Amino acid sequence: MGPASEQEESGQDQEESEGEMESYRSLLQAGSELESTLQQVSVPVCMKEVGGYIEKQVAYISGGRGEDSSVIITLPECSAFSDIPEESLAKVLTYLTLIPRARQPGVKFIIILDRRLDTWSSIKTALARIAASFPGNLHLVLVLRPTSFFQRTVTDIGFRFSQEDFMLKMPVVMLSSVTDLLHYIDENQLTSEFGGTLDYCHSDWIVLRTAIESFAVTVKDIAQMLQAFGTELAETDLPDEGSAIEHLLRSHTEKYRKLKEAIQSVSKEGRHLLSSLEASGKEVDCHWDVRLDWETVQRLLAQLRDMESAFDGFFEKHHLKLQQYLQLLRYESSFQQMDLCLERVSVQERALVLSGDSLAQTEQTLRELDSLQNQAQEEIGRAQILILHGHQLAASHHYAMALIVQRCNELRHHCDTLSASLRAKHTHLAHTHQLLLRLDQALTWCDAGAYLLANQMVDKFQSKEGAQAALKDIEKFLEGAPSLLSSRPDLLSMEFEAVITTELQAQIERTFEKHTAVQEMVQNRQACLRKLADKHVRPVQLVAPRPENPPRSKSPLFSPKHGVDGLKFTFDLSLPGKRTSRKSPNSRKIEVMHDYQENRVCLSYTLEGDDSPDLQKRRVMRELIETERVYVEELLSVLLGYRAEMDNPALSGLLPPLLHSKRDILFGNMPEIYNFHSRVFLQDLESCLEAPERVGACFLERKESFQVYECYCQNKPRSETLWRQFSDCAFFQECQKKLEHKLGLDSYLLKPVQRLTKYQLLLKELLKYSPGSERTSELQGALAAMLELLKSVNDSMHQIAITGYEGELSDLGRVLMQGSFSVWISHKKGPTRMKELARFKPMQRHLFLYERALLFCKRREEHGEGCDKTPSYSFKHCLKMSAVGITENVKGDVKKFEIWYSGREEVYVVQAPTVEVKMAWLNELRRILTSQQKLLKDESCQPGQAVDHIQLSPPRSERGVRPSRGVPKGCLPGLDLVSLSADVFLCLRARSPRPRSPRQRPRPRPHHHPQRH
């Protein structure tokens, strides 16, 4: 983001913040005005605190006014007045005086003390309490004295003596009757009990006053809630996560809704209160100061509406800001994801190498580019939608409009750059493909010309008609020459100058060289045929026998460098001007031979057939490459069409949940196999197209990489079990339908196993056509490696079926061999020996030979039908190879051999199914034992090395063998072999040989005598 954009965005943010703060200040101002009005209406003492005494009518304000608009407070007759606590009386008088003082500060009060039915003592007490408790500006106290003669007389006397005391505190006027009261207060300001006309209902006054106070308190609470919520909104920090913003929006909206409901409720209450006040009258001279109450409530409602309006404006702006902020977060997240997707496509586009060295490679690159363009178009379409969404946000006056517009421009630039790069590469590849296609057409035409000349029947040239027909065939062929061959190499290079490379230039030159060679061949053939067609020549006997086989098929790999050294035909022509006969000794044999490579023309023609070793090798090599490509494509279709679709949300409803978690069991390590073949091995094979002999080195170099098949094949039984369980799943049917596969997934899961067996067949064919080649040894090594891999895979497949072995099979080393044998076991001593001596029938055991041990297992067929019937191997014995010895021959059966253990404590007579199997096992056992014995010998020969751990073999009397005359393999000269076992291979130094007499010569051993190694 540039500085200008940052400044513009900062300016927009500042404007938005100022607008929001202005709304917030308006809200605070409206709240302050409402608070001021509430202070005028509200009193410190509320009706609830004095409600009990007000209801008892201890004192009341009738609404009447006296002199100077003094407010009249009436204290009517009350028998329990003297029982009212001082504090309560003070609250009552305070409450009654605060109501008018809140409306009219400094107002005066007149008290009418009605004691017409009371006594002087009560009047005196009441006056004293009023003087002590009255909080306002008391203008006058009018006392209606008792009406009875006695009490009136007492009152007059008492008042006369106490007048000065009362007058010092407050002005008191003692009235004899109600008529005297009219001298101080107008009749219309007095209630009916004092002979006035003022209409007053105490209960109505209480209800109305309670409603006014309740309304004021509610309005105050609402105002405080609005201010508090406004402050909360103004001070809220915006989080960086969309979910937190959404939570804020929901919570704020809920609070706003509740506040609006409360405001509506208060407004309704206020309007109802206004109606009640209006019903009481709004005249100027109305009682209770109803007019002032009505104006106060009206003002509160107006100010509440103003505050509500200010709050609505502030909340709307704040809510809009939150929404826009959430939109910005989402847009920024979408932008980052979109930019990442476009960057991934751009990386793939940059990684796409425009190496058009061959037509097949260029077509493959074009397919990859088309796929990439389709992917790019999808991403660009999504980017266009995102850009449109950004413009819509900007058009709606988003506060971050500058940033959004910049993101839109960045996306548009990225899309334009990617589209331009893809178009440029597609144009480049299309031109390259066009050039290579035209070159391939030209090469194909040249090959067709060479085959046309090679397949023309020599005996047909003897006649004029035959020669003319051959000429017409050649002329017809020449008419179909590609247009490229009518140009020159330099002109072609100029036409495709933008895509020409060194390799393409070399291909152009080779194509035109080949065209020149074929053209010379055609011209020479035409010259010969024209001579034959122009002259009447009698047919003569051919020197070479007439070919009986039909013309051979073309090979697309035919080219000058493919080894067709010459095309040779032989026929007899009589010399012009001489009479010749079929058997004339003077007839000449004219041979016309065209050397393909050196462009020589001589009088001889020969033909090399299509079954030449080089062509056959190329045919096999081509088959190997083409089937490899098909194999890679099939693997990719399975991985994309089945395995990847398991993550497709659109198909999640068709996929059983249990199957999703077992994807690696179903497909095994197929992705690893695909990566090896698509990225490594296919390229290796394609590099050997022109030199098939090098393919053996490819297999040997990648020998370790082929071990991925062992893991795949070991997993195959589990995969097949899983497939049989879910084969009818709708998911697989839908995927097969999309891929348009005729076969089910199980057929494609079998492809790696089938492919592994195919390699050794193709290698055998290559060896068949490569006798005496320099790289024959590499091909033989490759074939041996693939056969060994097949054997290893087969052995490992059997190994995973072993059950009952408590240790780790991996600790025993690699599986070297496995197979089924008949086994007799004998122990040297113990009760087991007697039991085994009575056993005549052998035990059927499946043996597994590891690098460090030999396992005896019993083969068991699992119950099931068809492919469910799989074998398992129940573990029986384990012999460590460090304590094993062998006897190669057992008397009575050439297929038997002995394996003995721990100095012949245990002897296992093993019968192989064939002699070949026996020899293979003996060779492998001998190799293991010999290597281990050599290791023990090297350790024993080290200086200071203890030999106490070496155990001697059984005595010769037990072995039944004589010392070997020669020196066994692995022993030093002058040492004689005592026995052969893994832990005992002790070579003892023999005494110097002495000459023996004829009597001392050992008798020759029978041929059937067992040998031990």
Side-chain angles (χ1 to χ4, degrees):
M1 183 185 298
S5 300
E6 292 179 357
Q7 292 178 1
E8 185 177 355
E9 182 183 355
S10 176
Q12 289 181 351
D13 292 344
Q14 186 174 0
E15 291 178 3
E16 293 290 334
S17 300
E18 290 179 357
E20 187 177 359
M21 291 306 298
E22 182 66 28
S23 301
Y24 181 57
R25 284 193 293 269
S26 300
L27 174 63
L28 294 180
Q29 184 178 357
S32 177
E33 294 176 356
L34 183 59
E35 184 70 23
S36 176
T37 304
L38 286 170
Q39 288 178 359
Q40 297 176 9
V41 177
S42 303
V43 292
V45 183
C46 63
M47 175 67 74
K48 291 182 180 180
E49 298 180 23
V50 297
Y53 297 103
I54 295 295
E55 291 175 358
K56 292 178 182 179
Q57 211 168 356
V58 172
Y60 63 87
I61 299 177
S62 63
R65 295 280 179 144
E67 185 180 350
D68 298 332
S69 298
S70 301
V71 177
I72 298 173
I73 299 178
T74 303
L75 277 71
E77 288 283 353
C78 181
S79 59
F81 184 80
S82 59
D83 298 334
I84 300 174
E86 291 292 336
E87 183 181 358
S88 299
L89 179 61
K91 283 187 177 182
V92 171
L93 294 177
T94 301
Y95 175 73
L96 292 177
T97 57
L98 282 176
I99 294 174
R101 279 192 296 171
R103 303 169 184 166
Q104 187 180 355
V107 68
K108 298 178 182 180
F109 293 93
I110 297 175
I111 295 179
I112 299 176
L113 182 61
D114 185 9
R115 290 294 181 266
R116 288 176 289 180
L117 301 178
D118 215 333
T119 63
W120 162 245
S121 62
S122 175
I123 293 173
K124 184 179 179 180
T125 303
L127 289 174
R129 297 183 69 178
I130 290 171
S133 304
F134 195 79
N137 184 4
L138 186 56
H139 176 62
L140 185 63
V141 178
L142 300 176
V143 181
L144 290 173
R145 63 184 180 178
T147 56
S148 66
F149 175 77
F150 177 76
Q151 291 297 332
R152 182 171 57 184
T153 303
V154 174
T155 301
D156 289 341
I157 295 171
F159 181 70
R160 185 178 295 113
F161 287 104
S162 304
Q163 184 176 7
E164 293 181 1
D165 296 335
F166 291 118
M167 292 301 291
L168 291 176
K169 297 180 181 180
M170 56 185 178
V172 179
V173 178
M174 193 67 66
L175 301 177
S176 300
S177 62
V178 175
T179 305
D180 296 338
L181 184 61
L182 295 176
H183 294 296
Y184 295 92
I185 301 173
D186 293 337
E187 181 181 6
N188 58 355
Q189 298 298 322
L190 294 173
T191 59
S192 58
E193 60 181 319
F194 298 114
T197 60
L198 183 63
D199 186 15
Y200 172 75
C201 178
H202 188 63
S203 61
D204 291 346
W205 183 88
I206 292 175
V207 171
L208 191 60
R209 189 64 204 170
T210 303
I212 292 175
E213 290 183 3
S214 175
F215 175 71
V217 171
T218 307
V219 170
K220 184 178 180 180
D221 292 341
I222 291 296
Q224 291 176 350
M225 291 170 63
L226 289 176
Q227 288 183 341
F229 187 44
T231 303
E232 178 187 349
L233 294 181
E235 296 177 356
T236 300
D237 294 330
L238 297 180
D240 296 332
E241 295 182 359
S243 58
I245 294 291
E246 292 176 353
H247 176 71
L248 273 181
L249 283 171
R250 288 193 298 269
S251 61
H252 288 174
T253 303
E254 182 63 21
K255 288 183 180 179
Y256 174 74
R257 183 185 62 79
K258 291 181 179 179
L259 281 175
K260 290 290 290 183
E261 291 177 354
I263 292 172
Q264 292 174 2
S265 176
V266 173
S267 300
K268 183 178 180 181
E269 181 182 350
R271 289 191 296 270
H272 179 71
L273 185 57
L274 278 179
S275 301
S276 300
L277 291 172
E278 287 175 354
S280 300
K282 295 184 293 183
E283 294 80 7
V284 177
D285 57 347
C286 67
H287 56 286
W288 311 335
D289 290 338
V290 176
R291 178 176 57 83
L292 294 177
D293 290 338
W294 183 87
E295 291 176 353
T296 300
V297 174
Q298 182 71 20
R299 187 165 63 254
L300 284 175
L301 279 176
Q303 291 177 348
L304 182 61
R305 283 194 296 270
D306 293 341
M307 190 173 186
E308 179 185 9
S309 177
F311 176 73
D312 288 342
F314 170 67
F315 181 79
E316 181 181 353
K317 290 185 178 180
H318 182 79
H319 194 71
L320 178 62
K321 181 180 179 180
L322 280 180
Q323 287 180 331
Q324 290 184 345
Y325 183 67
L326 178 60
Q327 291 172 349
L328 181 62
L329 281 180
R330 290 175 174 173
Y331 186 80
E332 185 67 19
S333 175
S334 300
F335 168 79
Q336 296 297 338
Q337 294 177 3
M338 192 70 255
D339 189 65
L340 184 62
C341 292
L342 291 175
E343 183 60 28
R344 280 201 296 264
V345 177
S346 298
V347 169
Q348 296 179 20
E349 177 269 325
R350 289 191 294 270
L352 197 63
V353 181
L354 301 179
S355 56
D357 296 338
S358 65
L359 182 61
Q361 185 178 4
T362 304
E363 290 176 347
Q364 177 63 25
T365 308
L366 268 175
R367 286 193 292 270
E368 294 176 1
L369 184 59
D370 290 339
S371 175
L372 187 60
Q373 279 185 318
N374 294 334
Q375 181 182 352
Q377 286 302 320
E378 293 180 2
E379 300 297 341
I380 291 174
R382 291 173 51 207
Q384 293 294 340
I385 296 175
L386 191 59
I387 292 172
L388 179 60
H389 179 55
H391 286 309
Q392 291 174 348
L393 291 178
S396 62
H397 304 288
H398 196 284
Y399 73 88
M401 180 174 61
L403 175 62
I404 294 174
V405 171
Q406 180 179 353
R407 294 304 194 205
C408 292
N409 293 336
E410 290 178 8
L411 282 179
R412 185 179 292 108
H413 175 71
H414 205 158
C415 292
D416 294 343
T417 304
L418 178 61
S419 298
S421 300
L422 289 173
R423 283 196 301 270
K425 285 197 171 183
H426 192 277
T427 303
H428 186 280
L429 278 176
H431 281 76
T432 305
H433 180 262
Q434 182 182 4
L435 174 59
L436 289 172
L437 186 62
R438 293 172 64 180
L439 291 176
D440 185 72
Q441 291 174 350
L443 289 173
T444 303
W445 184 85
C446 292
D447 290 343
Y451 278 101
L452 174 65
L453 299 180
N455 290 326
Q456 285 183 337
M457 292 312 216
V458 181
D459 57 344
K460 293 184 178 180
F461 299 161
Q462 303 295 320
S463 64
K464 180 178 181 180
E465 292 77 10
Q468 290 175 348
L471 281 172
K472 288 182 180 180
D473 292 340
I474 294 175
E475 291 173 357
K476 184 178 180 181
F477 169 75
L478 292 175
E479 292 175 357
S483 59
L484 177 139
L485 297 176
S486 61
S487 180
R488 298 202 312 269
D490 53 345
L491 295 178
L492 193 62
S493 300
M494 291 176 60
E495 180 182 354
F496 293 93
E497 183 179 5
V499 299
I500 206 71
T501 62
T502 305
E503 178 63 26
L504 287 177
Q505 185 64 40
Q507 290 191 36
I508 292 174
E509 293 175 357
R510 287 197 298 269
T511 301
F512 277 92
E513 289 175 1
K514 185 172 183 178
H515 172 249
T516 303
V518 173
Q519 195 174 26
E520 291 181 359
M521 290 173 58
V522 170
Q523 291 173 355
N524 292 335
R525 177 64 61 85
Q526 284 179 323
C528 294
L529 291 175
R530 287 193 185 100
K531 292 180 180 179
L532 293 174
D534 292 342
K535 297 179 181 179
H536 300 282
V537 182
R538 290 175 54 192
V540 295
Q541 183 180 0
L542 297 174
V543 173
R546 179 176 177 176
E548 297 295 336
N549 296 328
R552 293 175 176 86
S553 61
K554 301 180 183 178
S555 171
L557 296 176
F558 177 79
S559 64
K561 62 180 180 180
H562 290 160
V564 180
D565 296 331
L567 301 175
K568 185 176 180 181
F569 296 90
T570 304
F571 49 91
D572 287 343
L573 293 177
S574 56
L575 296 178
K578 294 186 179 181
R579 297 176 60 88
T580 59
S581 64
R582 185 177 300 269
K583 297 182 181 181
S584 172
N586 296 328
S587 62
R588 296 186 180 182
K589 180 177 75 173
I590 300 176
E591 293 182 324
V592 181
M593 183 175 75
H594 180 76
D595 191 311
Y596 200 137
Q597 291 180 336
E598 298 181 3
N599 299 323
R600 295 178 313 207
V601 179
C602 62
L603 299 178
S604 176
Y605 269 84
T606 61
L607 176 63
E608 183 179 8
D610 290 348
D611 55 352
S612 64
D614 286 342
L615 292 179
Q616 293 294 347
K617 283 191 293 185
R618 285 178 174 80
R619 177 188 61 78
V620 176
M621 193 65 216
R622 184 184 62 192
E623 180 184 356
L624 177 59
I625 293 174
E626 291 301 326
T627 54
E628 184 73 12
R629 289 171 181 164
V630 173
Y631 175 55
V632 170
E633 291 175 358
E634 288 176 340
L635 291 181
L636 181 61
S637 68
V638 171
L639 293 176
L640 294 181
Y642 286 98
R643 193 176 189 273
E645 286 297 304
M646 287 187 171
D647 297 326
N648 187 356
L651 299 179
S652 60
L654 304 177
L655 184 66
L658 181 62
L659 187 60
H660 188 275
S661 61
K662 295 186 177 182
R663 177 172 60 180
D664 293 336
I665 296 178
L666 182 62
F667 295 96
N669 61 334
M670 183 179 286
E672 188 179 359
I673 295 175
Y674 170 75
N675 290 335
F676 164 61
H677 284 273
S678 63
R679 299 177 182 177
V680 179
F681 196 60
L682 179 58
Q683 285 79 356
D684 292 347
L685 294 180
E686 288 176 341
S687 66
C688 300
L689 178 61
E690 300 298 331
E693 312 81 30
R694 296 205 314 253
V695 75
C698 293
F699 278 92
L700 293 177
E701 290 174 5
R702 309 300 177 187
K703 179 180 178 181
E704 297 300 326
S705 301
F706 273 100
Q707 295 301 320
V708 296
Y709 280 92
E710 187 169 338
C711 179
Y712 185 85
C713 293
Q714 288 178 357
N715 180 69
K716 197 67 176 67
R718 300 171 63 197
S719 174
E720 291 176 352
T721 302
L722 190 64
W723 165 255
R724 289 193 295 271
Q725 184 179 356
F726 295 100
S727 59
D728 296 333
C729 174
F731 171 80
F732 294 123
Q733 298 175 2
E734 181 65 21
C735 292
Q736 182 178 350
K737 181 179 178 182
K738 286 184 177 181
L739 293 172
E740 298 181 355
H741 283 177
K742 296 181 179 179
L743 301 177
L745 174 61
D746 55 331
S747 300
Y748 288 90
L749 293 177
L750 195 60
K751 293 290 183 180
V753 182
Q754 296 172 339
R755 186 60 183 170
L756 198 59
T757 60
K758 181 71 174 177
Y759 287 130
Q760 54 96 11
L761 298 176
L762 294 173
L763 287 173
K764 286 179 180 178
E765 281 200 63
L766 282 176
L767 272 172
K768 175 182 176 182
Y769 298 115
S770 304
S773 175
E774 297 179 358
R775 293 179 176 261
T776 302
S777 60
E778 292 181 352
L779 287 173
Q780 292 173 344
L783 177 58
M786 296 311 296
L787 292 175
E788 178 64 23
L789 176 62
L790 286 172
K791 176 181 175 300
S792 176
V793 167
N794 184 53
D795 292 344
S796 65
M797 292 288 288
H798 285 273
Q799 171 190 306
I800 62 176
I802 297 177
T803 60
Y805 184 74
E806 296 181 355
E808 292 292 337
L809 292 174
S810 58
D811 296 338
L812 305 181
R814 189 167 57 90
V815 181
L816 302 177
M817 301 188 79
Q818 55 83 27
S820 295
F821 298 87
S822 298
V823 179
W824 292 264
I825 305 178
S826 65
H827 291 71
K828 187 174 182 180
K829 56 185 176 179
T832 310
R833 177 172 177 81
M834 297 304 297
K835 178 180 178 181
E836 290 170 348
L837 287 176
R839 179 188 291 273
F840 295 100
K841 185 179 180 181
M843 295 178 292
Q844 298 300 318
R845 291 290 182 262
H846 202 90
L847 273 59
F848 290 88
L849 178 61
Y850 291 83
E851 292 175 325
R852 302 184 186 93
L854 177 64
L855 263 60
F856 287 77
C857 300
K858 184 175 181 180
R859 180 185 176 100
R860 300 183 185 277
E861 292 291 342
E862 298 292 342
H863 296 290
E865 296 181 358
C867 53
D868 289 333
K869 191 173 182 179
T870 56
S872 65
Y873 302 99
S874 178
F875 169 75
K876 294 299 182 182
H877 303 287
C878 176
L879 307 181
K880 293 183 179 180
M881 293 304 297
S882 59
V884 165
I886 59 173
T887 303
E888 294 188 359
N889 296 315
V890 175
K891 181 179 180 181
D893 194 340
V894 294
K895 294 184 291 184
K896 289 183 180 179
F897 62 97
E898 280 186 356
I899 299 175
W900 42 271
Y901 191 63
S902 297
R904 298 186 68 86
E905 288 292 335
E906 300 175 14
V907 178
Y908 298 83
V909 178
V910 180
Q911 183 183 40
T914 62
V915 177
E916 291 76 12
V917 173
K918 167 189 170 181
M919 296 309 299
W921 275 73
L922 287 175
N923 290 335
E924 193 64 34
L925 286 168
R926 189 185 303 111
R927 184 188 64 80
I928 297 174
L929 295 177
T930 303
S931 62
Q932 294 186 0
Q933 292 154 3
K934 183 178 180 181
L935 179 62
L936 289 175
K937 182 193 69 175
D938 293 341
E939 292 178 354
S940 65
C941 293
Q942 293 179 2
Q945 180 72 32
V947 294
D948 296 338
H949 66 283
I950 300 179
Q951 303 175 2
L952 291 178
S953 301
R956 294 177 185 172
S957 59
E958 294 184 12
R959 293 192 306 270
V961 295
R962 299 182 179 181
S964 175
R965 293 182 182 178
V967 180
K969 185 179 181 182
C971 292
L972 298 175
L975 300 181
D976 196 10
L977 174 64
V978 175
S979 71
L980 180 60
S981 69
D983 60 349
V984 181
F985 183 62
L986 185 62
C987 294
L988 302 177
R989 183 172 299 277
R991 297 180 180 178
S992 300
R994 302 176 182 176
R996 294 179 177 179
S997 63
R999 295 181 180 180
Q1000 293 175 326
R1001 291 180 182 176
R1003 290 173 298 176
R1005 288 179 292 180
H1007 293 290
H1008 63 271
H1009 198 284
Q1011 284 185 335
R1012 288 195 189 91
H1013 295 279

